[in-house]
């Protein structure tokens, strides 16, 4: 049986690293991109519609899903929020895309975490960030194509 990421972290923090046989390595980031693509389709979006919802250029989203480009942490958060991922899924996916997890001792991250728990939309989350003096997840929202 393979270990969860939390179990692996716990073993390392206890000074007893697990063997490679106990870890299911994420060898293909394309699997995660394929999941996102399926979730976009399952939500009833076309690629262009979803890119618009995420304030992304259509080509950038397409290139990300095809493994040609990366998305930054805030852009990934927008994608995950628009796909209605829960907090655990968001944290897991951020890790898989080598982005920092949400850190509750950072006030901006804390606000994002609260908004995720409340199931707020991206626009509502951005309003909350703005009200508290933080940059929004998509500051150039008005410049999207």
């Amino acid at each position: 049986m393979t270990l969860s990421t939390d179990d692996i972290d716990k073993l390392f923090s206890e000074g007893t690293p697990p063997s490679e046989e106990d870890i299911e390595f994420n060898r293909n980031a394309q699997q995660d991109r394929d999941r996102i693509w399926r979730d976009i389709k399952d939500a009833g979006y076309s690629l262009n519609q979803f890119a618009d919802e995420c304030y992304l250029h259509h080509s950038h989203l397409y290139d990300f899903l095809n493994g040609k480009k990366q998305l930054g942490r805030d852009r990934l958060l927008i994608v995950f929020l628009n796909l209605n991922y829960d907090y655990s899924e968001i944290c897991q996916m951020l890790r898989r895309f080598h982005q920092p997890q949400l850190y509750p001792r950072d006030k901006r991250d804390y606000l994002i975490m609260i908004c995720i728990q409340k199931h707020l939309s991206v626009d509502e989350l951005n309003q909350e960030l703005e009200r508290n003096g933080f940059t929004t997840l998509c500051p150039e929202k008005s410049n999207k194509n």
Side-chain angles (χ1 to χ4, degrees):
M1 179 160 104
T2 60
L3 298 170
S4 72
T5 302
D6 288 338
D7 291 337
I8 295 167
D9 282 342
K10 184 177 178 191
L11 287 170
F12 270 102
S13 66
E14 293 171 349
T16 54
S19 70
E20 287 187 23
E21 293 78 37
D22 293 328
I23 301 172
E24 183 180 333
F25 291 101
N26 186 18
R27 296 174 196 246
N28 187 359
Q30 191 58 44
Q31 291 172 347
D32 296 322
R33 286 182 173 89
D34 290 344
R35 175 192 172 191
I36 293 168
W37 179 237
R38 279 190 311 275
D39 291 345
I40 291 169
K41 286 181 186 176
D42 290 347
Y45 289 107
S46 72
L47 184 67
N48 288 345
Q49 289 171 326
F50 190 75
D52 288 342
E53 284 292 312
C54 294
Y55 309 108
L56 288 168
H57 291 279
H58 307 155
S59 61
H60 198 143
L61 179 61
Y62 182 79
D63 287 345
F64 166 72
L65 292 172
N66 286 308
K68 295 177 183 174
K69 287 189 179 178
Q70 294 295 323
L71 293 179
R73 182 177 184 243
D74 284 355
R75 294 295 180 172
L76 284 170
L77 283 168
I78 292 168
V79 167
F80 302 150
L81 290 167
N82 279 319
L83 290 173
N84 298 312
Y85 288 4
D86 65 22
Y87 177 75
S88 297
E89 290 173 302
I90 290 171
C91 290
Q92 181 181 55
M93 294 298 275
L94 284 173
R95 272 184 127 162
R96 288 184 174 174
F97 286 105
H98 307 284
Q99 295 294 328
Q101 285 185 245
L102 295 166
Y103 182 61
R105 292 186 185 267
D106 177 274
K107 179 76 183 253
R108 182 177 185 265
D109 280 4
Y110 173 80
L111 289 171
I112 292 169
M113 293 164 77
I114 292 295
C115 291
I116 291 169
Q117 290 298 322
K118 291 180 178 180
H119 305 285
L120 298 183
S121 70
V122 172
D123 288 337
E124 292 169 322
L125 188 153
N126 280 332
Q127 289 170 1
E128 187 66 26
L129 289 173
E130 204 167 62
R131 260 194 303 277
N132 284 276
F134 294 102
T135 57
T136 61
L137 293 180
C138 43
E140 67 282 349
K141 172 179 167 177
S142 61
N143 296 330
K144 74 171 182 73
N145 286 329

